[in-house]
Structure formats: C-alpha cells, structure tokens
Amino acid sequence: MKFVTPLVLVATLSFAASAQAQGTEELCHRSAENIVRMKQLMKIDPLFLPSALEDNSKSKSKQVVKDLVRERLFYAYNRKDMPDKDVWQLAFIDCLAKY
C-alpha cells in the first residue's frame, strides 16, 4: 500500500511529460512548415523579405515578438538555396533544441 502513492505520482508526471512533448513536437512541425513557406516565397518574390521586415517593424507587437519574426525571416533567407526537405529538418531540429 505504501508504494501506491509514489506509483500514482510517477504515472501522473510521466503522462504530463508525454503531453508536453507531443505539444512541442506539433509546435515545431508547424514552425518548420512556416519557414519552408517563407523560403519558397522568397524564391518567388525577391521583394518579400524587405516588405516582410518593414511590416514587422511597423507592427504593434511586443519587441520580443518582432525579434523572433525577424530572426525567422533571416533564418529562411539564409537557407533559400537549400532543398525544402533539408530546410524543414533543420528548422524542426532548431525548434526542438530551443523548446
């Protein structure tokens, strides 16, 4: 009987960690897809980056959000000549490492 409480606690914490990991994976998957889309737009339209940077600087978001968007734009720009699959994998791994 004295092992029931720790067993329940361990089971509860492991389920919570599993849900967090699943949420992080979905977040990173979407983030990687968005970076690939930005990369594709940059290849199609050379004016995408300057206009996106201008829109970002004019937005009313917090400075932290602006910095993150700017970082993601340049992340995609610096990898615009790489294949989509490679960019997606790098962005996914980068996201997992950050979160």
Side-chain angles (χ1 to χ4, degrees), residues 39-88:
K39 179 192 90 71
Q40 291 169 346
L41 287 171
M42 287 178 193
K43 286 190 86 164
I44 294 170
D45 183 11
L47 297 177
F48 175 78
L49 181 63
S51 64
L53 289 172
E54 184 179 336
D55 290 345
N56 185 39
S57 66
K58 289 181 181 178
S59 75
K60 296 180 181 178
S61 300
K62 293 181 181 179
Q63 189 61 39
V64 176
V65 175
K66 287 182 181 182
D67 293 343
L68 281 171
V69 170
R70 183 179 174 85
E71 176 189 343
R72 287 291 157 197
L73 284 167
F74 280 112
Y75 187 92
Y77 178 75
N78 290 334
R79 289 155 181 81
K80 70 178 180 180
D81 295 326
M82 293 176 66
D84 289 348
K85 181 180 178 183
D86 293 344
V87 173
W88 188 92

